[in-house]
Amino acid sequence: ELKVEQNPLFLSMQEGKNYTIYCNYSTTSDRLYWYRQDPGKSLESLFVLLSNGAVKQEGRLMASLDTKARLSTLHITAAVHDLSATYFCAVALGNSNSGYALNFGKGTSLLVTP
Amino acid sequence: NAGVMQNPRHLVRRRGQEARLRCSPMKGHSHVYWYRQLPEEGLKFMVYLQKENIIDESGMPKERFSAEFPKEGPSILRIQQVVRGDSAAYFCASSPGARELFFGEGSRLTVL
């Protein structure tokens, strides 16, 4: 069974600070996703990482993937209040019958304070 | 191009009743996935369907739950004889077969 673990699960940080969210997964997969979810809302796709060493950046968020270590990171630079949300990483299940079904971590609830 | 449409957005049922959740995928998407999200948890895969076929239902509870994606009309997730533990947000996602899933806004089921 593919397990996806995120840490921390809860994060409170001050505006302007930097921080990294970690996502470890237990078996080989060739696709890793980061999503953002606001309370009561759906999931917004942030990044899709497809290969070892992949790095993608959008605004204050940067995601990277190390397939050998089975680790992805989501780095937040100079946080602002608008980044407050829950962030999920998700890994493809790898079963050929599963299409692109994903296995999600429990999420990291981020609160950015003044 | 409308996104993935789910309805109802909120549904309240008493124990023992049936819940039907509908999902219309994005135009041109023939792959549909259902996920369940319990409070403070990530999404759990339930079932993957293509038109008229269930491809993978390994995440579906063995009893009371069923899903379909008919040739015409939306995909439906059906929960019979609901229990309080079924209270959750149910998300549908669609895909054109490429590598990205597009999620709907979810249906929040409350069982009294």
Side-chain angles (χ1 to χ4, degrees), chain A residues 29-49:
Chain A
S29 177
D30 60 355
R31 283 171 281 127
L32 188 137
Y33 301 74
W34 284 96
Y35 288 91
R36 167 182 172 146
Q37 186 181 36
D38 292 291
K41 300 294 185 181
S42 183
L43 281 77
E44 173 191 355
S45 178
L46 296 174
F47 301 107
V48 181
L49 302 170

Side-chain angles (χ1 to χ4, degrees), chain B residues 18-33:
Chain B
E18 179 179 288
R20 284 191 180 223
L21 310 176
R22 289 176 291 277
C23 169
S24 296
M26 290 180 69
K27 186 176 181 180
H29 290 193
S30 59
H31 302 243
V32 166
Y33 303 78

Side-chain angles (χ1 to χ4, degrees), chain B residues 91-103:
Chain B
F91 286 92
C92 170
S94 73
S95 167
R99 286 177 167 167
E100 193 164 3
L101 300 186
F102 296 84
F103 283 86

Side-chain angles (χ1 to χ4, degrees), chain B residues 32-110:
Chain B
V32 166
Y33 303 78
W34 285 94
Y35 288 82
R36 175 164 63 176
Q37 184 179 34
L38 296 170
E40 311 298 330
E41 295 281 330
L43 279 70
K44 299 292 186 188
F45 167 72
M46 299 181 75
V47 62
Y48 162 43
L49 309 106
Q50 295 181 19
K51 282 285 186 181
E52 299 185 277
N53 288 303
I54 297 174
I55 307 301
D56 183 350
E57 56 182 349
S58 59
M60 287 276 272
K62 292 289 186 279
E63 298 176 345
R64 302 188 296 108
F65 284 72
S66 62
E68 62 177 9
F69 188 15
K71 186 177 180 181
E72 302 289 340
S75 175
I76 295 177
L77 180 68
R78 180 183 180 203
I79 311 171
Q80 295 178 288
Q81 299 176 321
V82 295
V83 300
R84 288 206 174 124
D86 296 333
S87 295
Y90 292 84
F91 286 92
C92 170
S94 73
S95 167
R99 286 177 167 167
E100 193 164 3
L101 300 186
F102 296 84
F103 283 86
E105 293 201 325
S107 292
R108 283 155 180 82
L109 172 66
T110 301

